[in-house]
Amino acid sequence: LGYRLSKEGDGVSFYGHRVEYPFAKYDRHLPIYVVLETDQLRDADALRRWSVRHAACFTAESVKCRGGRITSARPFDALFGLVAFARVTELDLEGVETEEARADDSPFVPFRLEPVVTTAGVESLAQHRGARKLTSLILTNNSLDNDAARALVRSPYLDNLKRLQLLEGNRLRGRVWQQVIERFGEDVVG
C-alpha cells in the first residue's frame, strides 16, 4: 500500500486516481511514511512550501521516494535540511519492478527495473551529514554496482543503521558484499 504525491502539489495520486488525502500511510493518526516524487526533492523551496501545507511531514519517521532518479546530493540537501522532515529515520529508495508485456506464451513474466537512485546518488548520500540519523535504508532494485556498496562501507555517517536492504535487484559481486556485512553486521544487512 502506498501513496504518491501528484504533480499538482496539493493533492495526491493513489495508484493513478487523484485524491486530496491521504498522501501518507497512517497508524494511530500519525503518518508511518510520506511518499515523495524525486522531482520534489530537486526544489528545496517548493518542497518547504508544500511540507508546510501538509502537517503530516512534521511527524513522519519514514520517507519513500518514487519516480525519477537521484544522481546527486541536492535531493538529500532538501530532505535533510527541512525541519518538516527532522524526524525521518527511515529512507526508502527502492526501485520499482515494472511488468512488461509477454512476447509469446512464455510462463516467464518479463520486467524492467525503474531505479530511484544511481551509484552517484548513493555516494552522495553516504557522504551526507544528514545520513547520520538514518536507522533504515532501502536501496533494492536500483541496478547498483560495487561502487555504491563501497561508498556505503566507507561512509562516516551511516553508523546508526539497524536495517540496510541492498542485495535484491543490484549487481554486487565478489568480496564487496562481505565488506558490507563486516561494516554493518549480518543482522542489519539484507
Side-chain angles (χ1 to χ4, degrees), residues 63-137:
V63 169
K64 291 185 177 199
C65 296
R66 297 288 182 254
R69 286 191 181 173
I70 296 173
T71 60
S72 69
R74 186 174 178 186
F76 302 120
D77 291 340
L79 179 66
F80 296 129
L82 291 176
V83 173
F85 298 101
R87 294 182 55 146
V88 170
T89 59
E90 300 178 10
L91 184 57
D92 182 347
L93 301 174
E94 180 177 18
V96 178
E97 292 179 340
T98 303
E99 190 175 312
E100 294 183 338
R102 295 181 193 188
D104 53 18
D105 292 335
S106 171
F108 300 103
V109 178
F111 69 93
R112 63 182 160 84
L113 292 179
E114 295 177 12
V116 171
V117 66
T118 64
T119 295
V122 171
E123 290 170 347
S124 296
L125 173 62
Q127 295 303 313
H128 200 287
R129 296 183 110 169
R132 289 181 303 208
K133 63 183 182 173
L134 293 179
T135 60
S136 177
L137 180 59

Side-chain angles (χ1 to χ4, degrees), residues 135-166:
T135 60
S136 177
L137 180 59
I138 301 172
L139 296 169
T140 53
N141 296 325
N142 282 297
S143 297
L144 298 172
D145 59 17
N146 285 351
D147 290 337
R150 284 188 199 100
L152 296 172
V153 168
R154 290 189 307 261
S155 174
Y157 301 114
L158 294 174
D159 293 334
N160 294 319
L161 284 182
K162 294 177 178 35
R163 177 179 175 214
L164 173 60
Q165 297 294 311
L166 180 65

